[in-house]
Every structure is written in C-alpha cells, then in structure tokens.
Amino acid sequence: MPNLTGLETRGLPLGGLGFIPPRSSFILVLMRLLDRYLLLEWLKALGLALGATLGVLLLEDLYSNVGDLLADGAHGRDVLHYYGMLLPSFLPAVLPMSQLVSLLFVLGTLHRNNEITAMRAAGLSLWRIARPLWVGGLVLAGLLAWLDSSVVNHSVEEARTFRVNLHLAAQRRAHPNAAADTVADLTYDDAAAHRLWFINHYDQATGVATGISVYESNAQGLNTRWVLAQQGHYDKAAGAWEMEGVKEIIFGPDGIDQPQAPNFKTKTYSDFAADSPAQMLLLRQNPDDLSLDELQGVLAKAGAGNDRATDSFAVEFYSMLAKPLICLLVVGLAVPFAVAGVRTSPLVGASKAIGWFFAYYIVSGVSTHLGDQHYLPAVVAACLPIAAMLVVSVWMFRKAA
C-alpha cells in the first residue's frame, strides 16, 4: 500500500493513470477546472439567449416597420439590406438582458443540482465561485463600449440615412411637383463658434439653401459680422459653403456696423466648414436615434453641453458612456438571488433579480426625464441610476456571501 504521508508536499503517483498533485496544487487545479466549467456553461447559455432575444426584437421591429418600408417602395432585397445595417444597433439593448437570462439559467441549474452547495462546502467563497462571471461581465462591458463607439455608430447612421432617402424618394414619386423634402425655417446655433444661422428653406434633395442669414458675435456677445445670402450650398469635398447674392455687414470692436457693407455675387466661406446641413438637421432628431459620434458633435457645437436646449442630447450621450457598466450590475444582481438558500426555489430568486433589473430601467427613465427637464445635471441624470444600483448589487452580494 502506498505511503500517503507525503501527499501534502510530494503528491501521489498513480502509475499509468497519472499523478495526484500535492494538496495545495490540487486545490488550484480544481479551482481552474471550476472556472472553465462555469464560464463554458455560461457562454453556451449566453449564445442561446442572445440569439433568441435578437430574434424576438427583430420580429417586433419587422412587425412595426416593414409595412412602412414596403409602402415607400422597398423590395425584399432592400428590406434585407436595411435590417442587415440595423441589426448591430440592437446589441447594446439586447446584450445585458441576454446576460441576465443566461446567468440566471446557469446558476439556477447549478443551484438546483446542489453544485453551488458542494463548491461552498469545499471552502470556496461566493466571490471566488463568481470570479469567472465577474471577469466575463468586465469583458462584456468592454465589448459593449467598443460596439457603441464603432460598429453601432456606423449601423445607426447608415440605417437612418437609408430609411430617410427611401422615404424622400417615395414622396418625390408621389408628389413630383411638391417640395416634400424641403425643410422650412432651419435654425442652428453654433455656440462654440458664436455663430447663429437662419435658413428659410433647405432642399435635402439638391442641398440648396435659400434665404441664408448668418450672425457672428464675439465672446462678449457683441456683433462682429453678418452674412446675408440669397442662396447657397455646402460643398462636402471642399468643406465650405458656396453662397450667391451675398451681402456682408462688418462690425467694429464696439459692435457698431462700419460704413462699408460689401456685396458679392458669389463667395466661398471655408470658416463655416463645421456648420454643415447634416449637423444642423441632427438637432431635429430624437436623441435616442443618434449615434455616439453624432451626440458628441452636437454637444461640441453647443459649447461642451452648456446649452439648455441640448440637455436631452447630453443625457443620452452620458447614458451611452455609462451603459457598459450594466454588465457588471447584472452579475451583482444575478448571483446573490440565483444562489439563495437551498430552501428557496431558484424561480423565486430569478424573479427577484429580474424585478430589480427592471427597477433599474424605471429609475433610469425617471432620472433621464429629470435631466431633460433641467432638474438634474446631465452627467448626474445619466450616471446616478447605475451608480446607485451598483452599490445595491454589491451590498446584496456581500450579504449573500
């Protein structure tokens, strides 16, 4: 019979079956095996939940919008192309919910089979058991941040442009003599450059603006220059406004106009390059429909978010920056409820976790409304709900541990 006294330090040879390592090494190997096992089970459930949730959301969007797409003359190929562009924009909304469902399913299964109880009886703490899930949540948070700043940006902008162009083309076919794609009374305040625009009509099809008035001032609010033009268009390649029938009124240092008010048949304004029509039209969009880059551009033009008229854009911008932290919040909510005492049904814990998750969205909606109405600063309105729920989830985790 083999001598077992050296197992603590030397291990135990098993001939052709291998070798049992020393006790400390054996525990480390066991912990790594548990990490891989738990992570693999969760990733399989996450893939299934993500596919199912994306499918449901896609069907809901098809039910709501495919009729409008077909009414605007879209063919089957156009619909497939549109949803191919739009699908990545669903991921930021779908990923946290799929993560929650997959975690509750996997942890509930382990709890029901008493595997969590066995792990804790072996001396593993709840923090240690959930370590691969925290690491997975951190990786998902990084993935979500990358998606919002790159893939989703392109998806949102391209899908919206396709939809707008399709609708405008349908309007032109139905009413060839009507100005269906003309925007009236377009105004834009470039607070960062102290420049205010008024455009009587802007034709989105031709890119021609008529009745242009541009008022510039200095940091003290004194007039520096007025530019009045009969019409003009924005040259994307040159990055400048080409205007016709131009009259300029130049003001002195005291804000009083000078005797000379030069007129120009045509004039190019490269210093207006940042004020493109596309940038102006963004302010007419719902902040929820804009990409992260577009929101950042709107805020930059509003003087770093100091314009009360753009508070809703600021709240949405900071909410998108804070959104990846939801992946950590999900872990903090799912684990404590999913591994509740053995006398508690896993379904009860799962329902509580889902309830807290939806409570976060309710609090987030209230906070966003307060930010839009100027009762809370934009950063506070965007970050307060997730910060508060993260504190609650960590407290629940510590209590369960």
Side-chain angles (χ1 to χ4, degrees), residues 148-160:
D148 274 333
S149 62
S150 56
V151 178
V152 175
N153 269 335
H154 178 76
S155 171
V156 170
E157 295 170 15
E158 291 296 319
R160 187 179 63 247

Side-chain angles (χ1 to χ4, degrees), residues 188-197 274-275 300-303:
Y188 181 68
D189 183 11
D190 186 347
H194 307 288
R195 187 181 302 124
L196 183 63
W197 288 74
D275 298 340
K301 292 299 179 181

Side-chain angles (χ1 to χ4, degrees), residues 13-313:
L14 293 179
L17 296 178
F19 181 80
I20 294 181
R23 181 179 177 184
S24 58
S25 300
F26 177 74
I27 293 176
L28 290 176
V29 171
L30 177 63
M31 291 167 65
R32 288 195 292 268
L33 287 174
L34 288 175
D35 286 345
R36 290 199 295 269
Y37 170 69
L38 190 57
L39 191 60
L40 183 61
E41 291 298 311
W42 170 59
L43 288 176
K44 289 190 291 186
L46 177 64
L48 293 174
L50 187 61
T53 311
L54 270 175
V56 170
L57 192 59
L58 182 62
L59 288 175
E60 188 275 333
D61 195 274
L62 278 167
Y63 179 78
S64 300
N65 297 314
V66 73
D68 295 334
L69 289 170
L70 295 177
D72 286 336
H75 302 290
R77 182 179 57 186
D78 299 323
V79 174
L80 291 176
H81 178 62
Y82 171 70
Y83 279 101
M85 293 186 293
L86 186 65
L87 192 61
S89 68
F90 293 162
L91 289 174
V94 166
L95 198 56
M97 177 57 72
S98 301
Q99 181 193 9
L100 177 64
V101 171
S102 61
L103 282 176
L104 292 175
F105 174 78
V106 170
L107 293 174
T109 301
L110 296 178
H111 177 63
R112 187 171 57 252
N113 296 334
N114 294 320
E115 294 179 78
I116 297 293
T117 304
M119 293 178 192
R120 301 192 73 170
L124 299 180
S125 69
L126 187 60
W127 290 98
R128 178 60 190 84
I129 294 172
R131 186 176 73 173
L133 303 180
W134 284 108
V135 173
L138 191 61
V139 171
L140 282 184
L143 176 63
L144 195 56
W146 175 76
L147 287 172
D148 274 333
S149 62
S150 56
V151 178
V152 175
N153 269 335
H154 178 76
S155 171
V156 170
E157 295 170 15
E158 291 296 319
R160 187 179 63 247
T161 301
F162 177 86
R163 184 73 181 271
V164 169
N165 290 339
L166 185 69
H167 181 69
L168 291 178
Q171 291 295 313
R172 285 194 292 271
R173 289 194 300 269
H175 309 284
N177 297 323
D181 47 6
T182 298
V183 178
D185 300 325
L186 180 61
T187 61
Y188 181 68
D189 183 11
D190 186 347
H194 307 288
R195 187 181 302 124
L196 183 63
W197 288 74
F198 291 96
I199 297 177
N200 290 342
H201 296 92
Y202 174 70
D203 191 327
Q204 297 182 78
T206 62
V208 174
T210 57
I212 304 172
S213 303
V214 185
Y215 305 99
E216 293 185 313
S217 60
N218 56 25
Q220 291 73 38
L222 299 176
N223 292 319
T224 58
R225 180 176 61 166
W226 290 359
V227 177
L228 310 175
Q230 294 177 356
Q231 71 175 34
H233 71 278
Y234 184 78
D235 188 339
K236 291 182 180 180
W241 274 89
E242 302 282 348
M243 297 192 184
E244 302 176 10
V246 181
K247 179 179 181 180
E248 284 191 359
I249 302 177
I250 311 298
F251 293 82
D254 54 358
I256 300 175
D257 60 299
Q258 302 299 296
Q260 295 82 15
N263 298 324
F264 304 94
K265 184 176 181 180
T266 61
K267 187 173 182 180
T268 301
Y269 290 90
S270 57
D271 51 335
F272 294 169
D275 298 340
S276 66
Q279 182 71 26
M280 298 178 184
L281 291 171
L282 287 181
L283 288 176
R284 297 195 169 206
Q285 297 285 339
N286 188 323
D288 295 340
D289 297 332
L290 301 186
S291 68
L292 188 64
D293 284 348
E294 290 172 332
L295 290 168
Q296 188 174 16
V298 169
L299 297 183
K301 292 299 179 181
N306 294 323
D307 186 356
R308 289 171 64 91
T310 59
D311 276 359
S312 58
F313 294 87

